[in-house]
Amino acid sequence: MFFITPAYSQEPGPPEIPEPSPEPKPIKIPEPEPIREPFPEESDLEKIQRLTRENQQLNEENFRLKVQITELNKTIENLQAITMEQIKVIMQLVKQLQEVIFEGFDTSTDFT
């Protein structure tokens, strides 16, 4: 018995192994720029002078704000006094109105 195997077989062969995909190149993180000094090349004496000027400006602003607060407090006190006077006047007017209204309802008057 002879078996002849054809040159091509009906059975499929093993699947081809796919080529590996190339690995992506890593993204490089850019180097941050060095932090610069806020006042480059400032000597200690210059720093002291600058800070002294800033301190003086802040003290002047603080004084102006204290004066403004004092003025506002005086204004508030004046407005409170005016409001109290207005309330007194309104109460007097209400009292006068009550007297006028109830004066007309004298119980001794005969309506017959």
Side-chain angles (χ1 to χ4, degrees):
M1 274 205 224
F2 289 100
F3 291 103
I4 302 174
T5 56
Y8 57 93
S9 166
Q10 296 290 346
E11 294 181 22
E16 291 185 19
I17 299 175
E19 290 289 324
S21 59
E23 289 188 29
K25 294 180 182 177
I27 299 173
K28 292 183 180 178
I29 299 174
E31 290 289 324
E33 292 185 19
I35 299 174
R36 298 179 184 154
E37 289 187 42
F39 303 100
E41 301 177 19
E42 187 176 46
S43 69
D44 288 342
L45 178 62
E46 291 171 330
K47 286 181 186 178
I48 291 172
Q49 290 172 346
R50 178 180 53 81
L51 292 173
T52 303
R53 280 193 308 272
E54 288 178 13
N55 190 33
Q56 186 177 5
Q57 290 171 350
L58 290 173
N59 284 333
E60 290 171 2
E61 183 179 1
N62 191 22
F63 177 75
R64 284 193 303 270
L65 290 172
K66 285 181 179 180
V67 168
Q68 189 175 9
I69 288 171
T70 303
E71 291 172 355
L72 290 173
N73 282 334
K74 287 179 183 177
T75 303
I76 289 172
E77 289 174 9
N78 290 340
L79 288 173
Q80 287 175 337
I82 291 170
T83 303
M84 290 306 294
E85 285 299 316
Q86 289 175 339
I87 290 173
K88 288 178 185 176
V89 169
I90 290 171
M91 293 303 292
Q92 288 173 352
L93 290 173
V94 168
K95 187 176 181 180
Q96 289 175 1
L97 183 63
Q98 282 178 337
E99 289 173 0
V100 168
I101 290 175
F102 291 119
E103 198 174 88
F105 291 112
D106 189 9
T107 56
S108 63
T109 311
D110 188 18
F111 292 108
T112 56

